[in-house]
Each structure stands twice: as C-alpha cells, then as structure tokens.
Amino acid sequence: MKRRELILGAPLTLGLSGLGLAQGAYPSKPIRFIVPVAAGGGSDMIGRAVCERLGRVLGQAMVVDNLSGGGGVIASQTTARATPDGYTLMQGYVATHGTAPATRKLPYDAVKDFTAIGMVGSTPNVLCVNSALPIQDVKSFLDYTRKNPGKVSYGSAGAGSLTHMTAELFKLQTGAFMVHIPYRGIAPAITDLMSGQTQAMFPGLAAALPHLRGGRIRALAVTGSQRHPLLKDIPTLEEAGLKGFDAQQWYGIVGPANMPPAIVKQLNDGLAKVLAQPDFKDKLSAEAVELMPMTPETFANYMKTDIARWSALAKERGILLDA
C-alpha cells in the first residue's frame, strides 16, 4: 500500500492554500491517475501511454491506479470524492461519462461531480456479422433480419454497454428485430459471434480488428462521420442510409469537481503537447484510436451531449438497469 499512501497522503481537510498550491507550484508530487478498468487491454494501454508522456511534460511522475469494478462506479466515486487539488485524476470514458449515467442510477453525478480536463481520442464501433452469413452490406443485413424474424441475435459486452446501446440505436433507426444476448465483457461476445452462436455485434474497432483481419467476422459499416483509415473500404452507417448515426468509444481525462482553473489549464496544455507528439499518435492509431484534442469547455460539453443522447435512447427503449 506504499504507493497509494504516497498519492493519498495529503490531509483531506486542508484548503488549497494549506496544501501549498500557489500558482506555478503544481505539480510538486506524483499525480494519481485512476484507470477504471483492470490492468491489460486497450483502455489500460491508453491510460498508461497518456501518463508516461504527460508526466514528462509536467515534470512529475503520474502513477496509474487500476480501480476496476461496478462498470467504473468504484473509480468514479473515488475520483469524485478526492480533494480537487490536481493530484487525483481519472480516465473518464464513454462508460463512466456516457452510457452508465444514461442507464443506471449512480451514486454520483457524472456532470456536477467532475471537472473536465481534456479529450484524448476515440475509436468507432463496427457493425459486424459472422462471416458465414450471406451478408455483404447493411442492406442485405436488414433484408436478412426481415426474412428471419426472431432468429437474429446480437451480442454485447453487457447490458447498458456501448455495444448494447449502439445496437439498440440501430434497431430504433432501422426497425430491425434482433434479440439481445449480453455477455460479461467483449471477449466472450466476440468469441460467440465468430462461432455463430450470435449473428451480429457492434464492437469497438480496436477489439474487432484482429478478428476482422482473421476473416471470421465481417465488417459491414462503421459509426462516425467518416470512414476509418484502417477500414477504408467499409462505409459509415450514414453512407448506408442512417443519417446522423454515431457511437464512439472515447477516452479523456477528468478530475474532481471544482479544480482550480489554473491547474486545469496546465493539465490541458500538457495534454495538448502529448497529443501533438507523432510517436503518441502512431501508438494510438495502431489501436484504432484517433486523437481528438479539446479545450476543457469543449470536452465538458461533449460529455453532456453524450449523456443526453444515450439517456434519450435509454428512455425510448426502456433501458434502466440496477446501479
């Protein structure tokens, strides 16, 4: 526990002046960076890559603390309750500040209890089908669902996940009838898609890419406003006729509410320098993540819009889950 004591050792009852946070003094000790998933995997890789480079820019170590559990609730609660001094930050992403607030009653407010610092980037979701199906595009997929009523199922990484919500958005806009099969994570859902236990899925591109290259699943369309560089021949869902269709697995940085503006600016400026580094762009591009630099204000509005969008869908589809 020595590492956590180092990060959390400052008295929580002191004001910012008592913590010695005079302008220009930040950061004077290591920064705790909470990643709301277990070590390993794409989300953790992104968090560690950001910390390594942002720490260099700030001239202070950033210590990754993986706090998984509760779909990000544990990490989010811990961050929201921390002293807003800039020494506890979190990798906020689409689950913690998008789909979870839209589908669950949470013990925190995803908007009011956090300070937006900056966006890192995003990866699109991909409409995929088992490659054995006689389907080559969105039109033939919709025809297939109509000719096989009740026989088409789609997997997701869990109820209320982005993979679930994206498929429900697709069903709403197209009228397609598909049965939802929730899994405990993305890996088993993709495994059953490849084996034919399910017929369709909307995984994130980073998770789907190895299996698309292996040929056991087929991409029909991607979310977002433009085609992805790694799937240049695959149209967007908007190109396929679904106007305004969008769903992104995004990653950013947040802190507790009421962080000093000077520290927020310093962190955002530092993050902008990281996102401008060619080797960082190359590293995340290899994971299908496109960088999206934003000011704190723009990022805050992005999160509010994402929560509102998924909340409207959850209400429309009757999706309300236990916290």
Side-chain angles (χ1 to χ4, degrees):
M1 296 299 293
K2 291 183 178 179
R3 175 174 64 80
R4 190 164 293 184
E5 289 170 0
L6 173 64
I7 301 301
L8 299 178
L12 298 181
T13 56
L14 293 178
L16 294 180
S17 60
L19 288 170
L21 293 178
Q23 188 171 0
Y26 175 84
S28 61
K29 62 180 181 179
I31 298 168
R32 181 190 189 192
F33 189 79
I34 296 173
V35 176
V37 296
S43 295
D44 180 57
M45 179 282 294
I46 292 168
R48 291 178 183 276
V50 170
C51 283
E52 178 185 359
R53 289 161 177 77
L54 184 55
R56 291 178 195 164
V57 171
L58 296 174
Q60 189 58 257
M62 295 188 68
V63 182
V64 174
D65 189 358
N66 295 94
L67 285 183
S68 59
V73 171
I74 295 174
S76 297
Q77 270 192 296
T78 301
T79 304
R81 293 172 177 173
T83 304
D85 56 8
Y87 289 100
T88 300
L89 306 175
M90 186 183 94
Q91 179 170 280
Y93 74 120
V94 68
T96 59
H97 290 75
T99 57
T103 59
R104 290 176 165 85
K105 293 182 179 179
L106 300 173
Y108 57 86
D109 188 305
V111 174
K112 296 178 181 179
D113 292 343
F114 295 88
T115 297
I117 293 170
M119 173 73 89
V120 175
S122 70
T123 185
N125 285 64
V126 190
L127 171 55
C128 297
V129 296
N130 181 279
S131 58
L133 295 178
I135 296 169
Q136 300 297 329
D137 52 31
V138 174
K139 182 180 182 301
S140 60
F141 176 66
L142 291 174
D143 289 342
Y144 186 84
T145 62
R146 295 185 186 106
K147 293 175 182 177
N148 296 273
K151 296 182 180 180
V152 177
S153 60
Y154 76 89
S156 77
S161 66
L162 182 63
T163 49
H164 175 204
M165 300 299 284
T166 305
E168 289 300 312
L169 179 61
F170 180 82
K171 289 168 62 178
L172 180 65
Q173 290 197 14
T174 63
F177 178 66
M178 298 187 291
V179 178
H180 178 212
I181 309 295
Y183 291 81
R184 297 174 77 80
I186 195 74
I190 291 181
T191 296
D192 271 9
L193 176 62
M194 291 191 295
S195 69
Q197 296 299 311
T198 57
Q199 290 71 49
M201 190 180 174
F202 274 91
L205 177 54
L209 201 56
H211 310 292
L212 291 170
R213 288 170 173 165
R216 297 185 65 184
I217 60 176
R218 178 181 300 126
L220 303 183
V222 298
T223 62
S225 60
Q226 58 189 9
R227 297 190 183 195
H228 196 276
L230 296 177
L231 294 177
K232 294 181 180 179
D233 295 331
I234 304 301
T236 65
L237 281 157
E238 181 153 340
E239 287 180 274
L242 278 67
K243 299 302 180 184
F245 193 104
D246 193 20
Q248 299 281 331
Q249 176 85 20
W250 57 263
Y251 308 88
I253 301 178
V254 299
N258 302 315
M259 285 178 58
I263 289 179
V264 174
K265 184 179 186 307
Q266 187 175 347
L267 289 167
N268 184 266
D269 289 347
L271 179 60
K273 292 178 181 178
V274 170
L275 299 185
Q277 296 172 0
D279 67 323
F280 183 77
K281 180 178 180 179
D282 291 344
K283 184 177 181 65
L284 266 66
S285 292
E287 298 293 329
V289 176
E290 297 299 305
L291 305 185
M292 297 173 62
M294 295 181 184
T295 64
E297 295 77 18
T298 301
F299 182 42
N301 288 331
Y302 183 96
M303 289 190 288
K304 290 177 184 177
T305 300
D306 215 39
I307 292 170
R309 184 161 61 96
W310 295 123
S311 295
L313 178 66
K315 183 178 181 180
E316 175 75 24
R317 306 299 289 179
I319 302 170
L320 182 59
L321 312 170
D322 294 334

